[in-house]
Amino acid sequence: KQHTANVPTLTLVADSLKATSSLAANWSEPDRLKATGKLDISALDLPVLLQTLTIALPSGLNAEPLRDIVLNTDYAFDGEILTLSQTRLRAGKFNATGKLQFTSGKTTRIDAKFASPELELEYFFPPVETPLPPVTTPPAAAGTNATAAADASPGALLGMNGTIEASLGRLKTSALEMSDLETRLILTKGVARLDTLSARLYGGTLSASGQLDTRDAGALRLKAELTTVDLKALLQATRKVDRMEGILDGSLELDSSGHTMDEWKAALHGPVRVSVKDPVLNGTSVEELICKAAAQLN
């Protein structure tokens, strides 16, 4: 009769999930539920849970970190808005803190802000030659279709509106390592706009912006600028010839079309400008170069 409920402790244990939570709910306003509480997920095997829901993981995603997820958060639900605050997440060896707000109803929107001391992309997206642990997905139940699997792909995220902000102490890929990274991504129904990206890169700075439009034929646009980067450190990190030293400045403006990585690579075009201050080429004899050039001319 009072349209309220208070649950100090709620425990849920399943094959893939161990969680405890608290709940304080009020539905005294017509068609509007309000609820607050805390959620503590001490163990979550996401691939197994998704199997049960007949949802497939995106291809190329390493399932191992997702088998060991721990989450602590405060939550609040008000009508069509779910807010997770004071959120602490661990997936394998990856850790992050932040806040997330999800809005349903006529317009689906996601707004997130998180920070992490380190993110290693290959930990979640290994190189293609690295075999991934098999994750079998049971056949879809009667009456379902491929929509569930499609919703698990990055394309489902691009179909939303929202803003995602990230701060990373260190971002590591197979080719580059950046620090003090700050980025802001804006999502608008099929369009992802990289509003800002700034980072420290081998003694210099990297700034970038861009846009990915998944509508119609698809379009990709990227602008980037490098300033005072240590060329020797950059070449060593990318495992290229490292006999070159100097200070690198550069910029690029690239455009492409399509919807897949192969299509983007095939259609990629645009100017790339590079300049090196105080260049030094080590381990090379000028006289030997001149003699070889003269011999080739002869």
Side-chain angles (χ1 to χ4, degrees), residues 192-248:
R193 179 164 61 89
L194 181 62
D195 189 45
T196 57
L197 185 150
S198 62
R200 300 285 300 173
L201 180 67
Y202 303 111
T205 60
L206 165 68
S207 59
S209 62
Q211 179 172 297
L212 173 61
D213 190 341
T214 63
R215 302 170 299 179
D216 302 325
L220 174 67
R221 179 172 298 171
L222 177 64
K223 292 184 179 180
E225 184 173 344
L226 297 174
T227 306
T228 63
V229 174
D230 185 332
L231 179 59
K232 183 177 181 179
L234 176 65
L235 292 176
Q236 288 176 337
T238 54
R239 299 176 179 86
K240 305 297 181 182
V241 59
D242 59 357
R243 295 192 303 174
M244 191 76 175
E245 296 183 21
I247 302 300
L248 174 68

Side-chain angles (χ1 to χ4, degrees), residues 1-5 25-29 33:
K1 294 180 179 179
Q2 295 179 354
H3 303 96
T4 62
N26 185 314
W27 58 96
S28 57
E29 296 183 36
L33 170 66

